Amino acid sequence: SSAINKPPGRLHRLQRVSAFYRDNWHRAVVLSDSHILDSRLTSMIEVKFVDLGIRRSVNRFEQVREIDDKFFNFPLKSVY
């Protein structure tokens, strides 16, 4: 299976990912601070859905996937 179908092994602030929201996967950027991301005990992290212009807490193991940078070559749909 592709690495894109797996949760990222290690996350960092401002990392580009795919995150699940309302029955679909969307481009997102990780907003959580490094102390939260470094803790394997914390499953919830904050992301910004770049095309929707919203922030949400998502489960890093179930709702976050790696994404190829080529998907960020397309213009963002939200300016907020």
Side-chain angles (χ1 to χ4, degrees):
S1 84
S2 168
I4 293 175
N5 292 326
K6 298 178 183 176
R10 184 167 175 93
L11 291 168
H12 58 85
R13 184 170 169 77
L14 302 181
Q15 181 175 346
R16 297 170 172 180
V17 295
S18 177
F20 196 76
Y21 177 71
R22 292 196 176 177
D23 300 325
N24 282 304
W25 292 94
H26 301 274
R27 297 184 295 177
V29 174
V30 175
L31 297 179
S32 293
D33 290 325
S34 60
H35 70 279
I36 301 244
L37 299 172
D38 289 341
S39 171
R40 298 299 287 178
L41 302 175
T42 304
S43 61
M44 300 304 287
I45 63 168
E46 187 176 0
V47 300
K48 179 177 181 180
F49 292 95
V50 297
D51 294 312
L52 305 176
I54 58 172
R55 295 175 172 212
R56 292 289 184 270
S57 291
V58 295
N59 184 302
R60 69 192 294 168
F61 304 111
E62 297 175 8
Q63 296 175 288
V64 177
R65 296 291 180 262
E66 293 180 6
I67 190 170
D68 194 299
D69 280 339
K70 70 181 178 186
F71 292 107
F72 277 82
N73 290 338
F74 299 103
L76 304 180
K77 296 179 182 177
S78 172
V79 293
Y80 183 79

